[in-house]
Amino acid sequence: MKGLVSYRRPVVLIVIIDAIAFSLLFLYKQPFDWYVLPAGLLVIGLICASFHVITRKSLGDEYLFLITAMLTSLGFIMIYRLDPVYGFRQIMWFSAGILLFFLSFFVFLKFRFWHRLFYYYVSISLALFILTLSLGESVKGSKNWLEIGKFSFQPSELIKILFILSLACCFSKSEQVIFKGLSISFPQSPVRYRIVLALVSYMPLGFLVLQREWGTAIVFFLVYATLVYAFDDSPRFFALNAAAAVLGAVAGYMTLYHIRVRVETWLDPWKDIAGKGYQITQSLFAIAEGGFFGTGIGMGRPDLIPAVNTDFIFSAICEEMGIFGGVAVILLYFILTYRGVKISLRVKNPFYRATALGITLMFGFQTFIIIGGVIKLIPLTGITLPFVSYGGSSLTTSFIALGMLQAVSVIAEEPGTDGPGPGADKFEPGADESGSGAGGSGSEADESGPETSGIGPGADGSEPASVVPEAEIHGPGAELDEPGPDDDINAEHIKDAECRNLDNSGEKGVAGSNETDK
Amino acid sequence: MFEILSTVLKYIFVTIIYLFIYSIIRLIYLDIRSVDTSVRKREKHVPYLKLINRREDLSFKVKEHYALNGVVLLGRSGKNDIVIADPYISGSHARFTPRDGQYYIEDLNSTNGTFVNDTRLKNEPKVLRNGDRIQMGQVEFVFVDGSRHKR
């Protein structure tokens, strides 16, 4: 327990940051804002409680949540400083997001039929697109808001998740079930399967272009192209997609006035500084104003940038926390993406693999596009910075996606069979070998569900073949190999292992005595 | 007043954020390091000690596995075969000796003692069985003897 308040524990650092920042925000305006303190306490409490649950119950990778907690904390500080009303709402969305995070985690982990719902994903996203196009609200030139009563949300955020899931279905080439008894499988011929794949991915792209959500369209395409690159082994198909992208971009530039404006203001924002180039130049001024360490919270004027709460939050962070703060945000996204890729490498089932990679890519590309946009590295397209920007739909769906990623990190640590996925049969021969090879003890090891080969040395056995001989040789010892992420669990673990050892040592004792008799 | 506070705190903020990033990367690094397969790949038949603690909770360097080959001395000082810089571990703490195909553990009059399955070792050596928990200082190992389960 002595390590509880050590600087080495990242969660302590988050708490310190939040505590300092919210006390500072409390002093920011002269009639003291008494709502700041309970808001800050709520944030700290939520982060600590969730982190505690994740580590104590060992719900998979703990770094994912830590990193996103840091990012959302930076977001709260900035948004609260810009506008306390929005800040408070963002904290409310965060509470909802945490709930949804755990909900999506458990649902995604518990039910393992996600790879069979391909047609549901496609039809729901289609329905959402049509609804937005017909009933949607126009905000800032993009028709992408859906209003239900008082509550409005951005369907494209939800569609992101559906899109990734449908792509993952395609890449795992799973059997698709619509109703009980009626099952449709993917076309076996590679050409037809690729046509289905391309249709599934270009359909949302078309709708997004109709809604004038260029940024989201680019994110979708990049996720799709990278997944094709990672999972489809035909270079020609990838080249075809790349060609289609270039063609689409050129055609868009030629025909669509909006895109041409974006590119022009990107190339030279100073030409029309008061009009089209206003946003981007204000953002550049803000970043320049910040310098290395920033002006200090509450001392800059990031409120001069239009849409600073959502798209331009990165410029505000750069102005008030300096370029060091900005680089820290980018680094945080780096580690987040790294963790995601690591998880997707570890899981064997192709469906979960593609899902994990897709979610990670979505976070990564979204960050790249919006940060690249506000620092004038690439043409600006308005999307949110995941976890940091203000926005209920964005924050909650990001947390849902994070919950799924977290669930995959648990699935990745399940030994041998990760889920009844379609890819599992691929690895079954290996599992059989271990069963017959190691005899009783081997199959026992297979059944031991909660034991994971997580952080431990088993993790490197990405090919099932290399796992098998280990299980064979170590027999019952194999269960001891997992450094359970939790001490309590460990104790149980050991007890379990001991019991098993007792059982085994009975058998072994007999076997051993036979040997000595010889 | 607020200006001074904010100016001072901005440096603190940046420092803490980078500390955070450093600590996460450090933990991830330890994670990768722990995927140390050398023991299992080359010397599968050799019994080994397996760390149960979470390495990130310990402030000193510990490996995930220690292969036991012949007589092995464990302690804090550099002349031991297994060196663990735990302040609660004595200079020479324990000895592992193979005899008749079995491993014996012996406490070398250490200050804080050696515990096998929660019982403190007396002066005589004790036979280790597969799965025995060995605790010394802040470190806890499991003894894994792979060779005995080979058919």
Side-chain angles (χ1 to χ4, degrees):
Chain A
M1 283 299 105
K2 82 181 179 59
L4 203 65
V5 281
S6 145
Y7 77 94
R8 283 171 191 275
R9 289 179 61 110
V11 69
V12 176
L13 295 173
I14 298 182
V15 170
I16 294 174
I17 279 251
D18 277 328
I20 297 178
F22 278 98
S23 337
L24 194 66
L25 287 170
F26 173 67
L27 299 171
Y28 176 43
K29 284 211 174 104
Q30 235 346 289
F32 291 144
D33 182 2
W34 288 100
Y35 284 110
V36 173
L37 297 177
L41 282 179
L42 179 66
V43 168
I44 293 173
L46 270 176
I47 289 174
C48 286
S50 323
F51 183 69
H52 189 78
V53 169
I54 289 171
T55 44
R56 282 289 124 180
K57 304 265 173 198
S58 58
L59 307 177
D61 195 293
E62 63 209 71
Y63 308 116
L64 284 177
F65 181 78
L66 279 176
I67 298 163
T68 49
M70 189 54 150
L71 285 169
T72 37
S73 294
L74 291 176
F76 294 146
I77 297 165
M78 233 40 241
I79 296 165
Y80 216 110
R81 173 249 172 277
L82 288 162
D83 189 344
V85 177
Y86 280 105
F88 205 76
R89 256 191 247 163
Q90 177 81 343
I91 289 168
M92 289 299 119
W93 283 122
F94 174 67
S95 326
I98 293 278
L99 265 181
L100 284 169
F101 167 76
F102 283 110
L103 200 70
S104 85
F105 170 79
F106 284 116
V107 168
F108 200 69
L109 193 63
K110 192 89 185 159
F111 303 103
R112 297 292 176 83
F113 50 63
W114 303 105
H115 57 282
R116 288 182 300 175
L117 301 179
F118 175 68
Y119 289 101
Y120 286 105
Y121 302 140
V122 176
S123 44
I124 291 173
S125 48
L126 198 67
L128 279 173
F129 271 128
I130 291 169
L131 267 176
T132 352
L133 271 184
S134 50
L135 308 167
E137 292 288 308
S138 256
V139 177
K140 286 179 220 145
S142 316
K143 200 172 188 183
N144 52 10
W145 286 89
L146 207 58
E147 255 178 69
I148 304 169
K150 270 189 163 181
F151 179 77
S152 68
F153 79 110
Q154 239 173 328
S156 61
E157 297 286 343
L158 192 63
I159 291 167
K160 265 179 210 162
I161 295 176
L162 294 173
F163 177 72
I164 288 164
L165 284 171
S166 61
L167 279 187
C169 287
C170 285
F171 286 115
S172 61
K173 293 185 188 148
S174 53
E175 203 172 78
Q176 308 303 323
V177 178
I178 296 190
F179 311 109
K180 261 185 196 152
L182 171 61
S183 83
I184 302 169
S185 36
F186 261 104
Q188 285 301 307
S189 101
V191 177
R192 271 204 223 153
Y193 144 73
R194 287 195 182 113
I195 289 172
V196 171
L197 180 62
L199 264 179
V200 166
S201 16
Y202 286 112
M203 186 265 305
L205 278 182
F207 277 107
L208 285 170
V209 169
L210 281 181
Q211 290 177 15
R212 299 204 187 127
E213 273 200 67
W214 322 117
T216 317
I218 294 171
V219 170
F220 274 40
F221 180 78
L222 286 175
V223 168
Y224 161 70
T226 318
L227 285 178
V228 165
Y229 178 76
F231 293 108
D232 195 294
D233 33 312
S234 153
R236 196 185 293 165
F237 183 55
F238 181 71
L240 218 66
N241 279 301
V246 172
L247 227 98
V250 171
Y253 182 74
M254 296 303 220
T255 53
L256 292 165
Y257 171 72
H258 283 83
I259 294 184
R260 216 157 44 229
V261 168
R262 297 285 168 106
V263 175
E264 272 162 17
T265 50
W266 169 56
L267 290 172
D268 188 8
W270 314 103
K271 203 163 61 186
D272 187 10
I273 193 165
K276 290 167 198 146
Y278 184 71
Q279 265 193 324
I280 184 77
T281 45
Q282 286 305 316
S283 153
L284 291 177
F285 287 144
I287 295 169
E289 183 63 33
F292 280 122
F293 285 95
T295 55
I297 286 173
M299 313 253 293
R301 290 301 306 278
D303 44 312
L304 291 176
I305 316 166
V308 66
N309 271 329
T310 51
D311 300 355
F312 283 86
I313 191 98
F314 184 74
S315 318
I317 290 176
C318 277
E319 178 167 2
E320 302 217 317
M321 298 187 189
I323 199 66
F324 283 133
V327 170
V329 169
I330 297 174
L331 277 177
L332 286 172
Y333 282 110
F334 263 127
I335 332 177
L336 184 67
T337 315
Y338 162 77
R339 276 323 274 183
V341 171
K342 188 95 192 292
I343 289 168
S344 91
L345 283 177
R346 211 180 263 172
V347 72
K348 286 177 203 113
N349 181 317
F351 173 75
Y352 293 113
R353 203 169 203 181
T355 312
L357 189 59
I359 290 170
T360 313
L361 289 173
M362 191 187 76
F363 290 150
F365 282 131
Q366 218 174 317
T367 311
F368 172 73
I369 284 171
I370 189 59
I371 291 185
V374 300
I375 63 173
K376 205 172 86 71
L377 180 71
I378 53 172
L380 175 72
T381 48
I383 47 172
T384 54
L385 189 58
F387 300 109
V388 179
S389 285
Y390 172 76
S393 321
S394 163
L395 194 69
T396 45
T397 43
S398 296
F399 269 109
I400 293 174
L402 191 76
M404 285 159 60
L405 195 56
Q406 186 90 25
V408 175
S409 83
V410 173
I411 293 167
E413 290 175 7
E414 285 170 4
T417 56
D418 17 276
D425 51 350
K426 218 187 210 168
F427 302 107
E428 245 158 34
D432 281 346
E433 263 171 50
S434 83
S436 56
S441 65
S443 58
E444 233 181 283
D446 281 351
E447 278 161 27
S448 58
E451 266 82 21
T452 58
S453 61
I455 324 162
D460 72 302
S462 42
E463 315 122 70
S466 74
V467 176
V468 173
E470 282 165 12
E472 219 173 329
I473 283 164
H474 292 305
E479 286 106 33
L480 302 175
D481 282 354
E482 289 77 23
D486 195 298
D487 289 19
D488 292 357
I489 301 277
N490 241 325
E492 285 172 29
H493 213 179
I494 302 294
K495 253 182 238 154
D496 247 2
E498 270 173 12
C499 298
R500 209 162 283 148
N501 265 327
L502 282 180
D503 294 344
N504 277 332
S505 62
E507 292 170 33
K508 293 282 143 54
V510 176
S513 63
N514 280 344
E515 266 171 53
T516 43
D517 280 343
K518 275 175 209 164
Chain B
M1 171 58 192
F2 177 78
E3 279 79 14
I4 304 164
L5 212 63
S6 178
T7 316
V8 173
L9 284 179
K10 75 185 183 190
Y11 297 107
I12 297 175
F13 267 136
V14 168
T15 319
I16 297 178
I17 296 172
Y18 278 95
L19 258 180
F20 174 81
I21 292 174
Y22 164 74
S23 65
I24 292 266
I25 290 180
R26 176 178 163 272
L27 293 185
I28 289 176
Y29 170 73
L30 287 176
D31 241 30
I32 298 171
R33 276 286 300 277
S34 71
V35 186
D36 179 6
T37 53
S38 53
V39 173
R40 319 187 82 212
K41 285 255 159 76
R42 260 183 281 122
E43 307 165 278
K44 272 175 194 152
H45 52 287
V46 172
Y48 60 94
L49 296 178
K50 155 116 191 78
L51 186 73
I52 321 182
N53 298 75
R54 303 182 66 203
R55 278 150 45 110
E56 48 265 38
D57 292 344
L58 301 173
S59 51
F60 42 87
K61 272 186 187 167
V62 197
K63 280 206 271 179
E64 201 70 43
H65 300 105
Y66 289 101
L68 296 178
N69 230 339
V71 180
V72 175
L73 281 167
L74 187 150
R76 189 154 41 85
S77 76
K79 62 176 194 283
N80 292 289
D81 303 300
I82 299 175
V83 182
I84 298 174
D86 183 347
Y88 294 96
I89 284 181
S90 300
S92 46
H93 194 107
R95 185 195 293 144
F96 296 89
T97 330
R99 208 182 300 153
D100 313 328
Q102 283 187 317
Y103 252 94
Y104 289 83
I105 183 170
E106 190 182 348
D107 188 72
L108 302 174
N109 280 327
S110 63
T111 321
N112 292 308
T114 306
F115 297 83
V116 175
N117 295 332
D118 295 329
T119 41
R120 186 166 179 159
L121 283 187
K122 309 273 166 35
N123 281 329
E124 65 263 26
K126 189 182 185 314
V127 189
L128 283 175
R129 288 159 168 269
N130 186 33
D132 274 356
R133 264 178 307 135
I134 303 164
Q135 193 226 319
M136 39 187 95
Q138 301 169 51
V139 188
E140 201 167 359
F141 291 110
V142 167
F143 176 75
V144 184
D145 188 355
S147 61
R148 303 200 52 220
H149 302 288
K150 223 171 174 180
R151 282 151 220 227

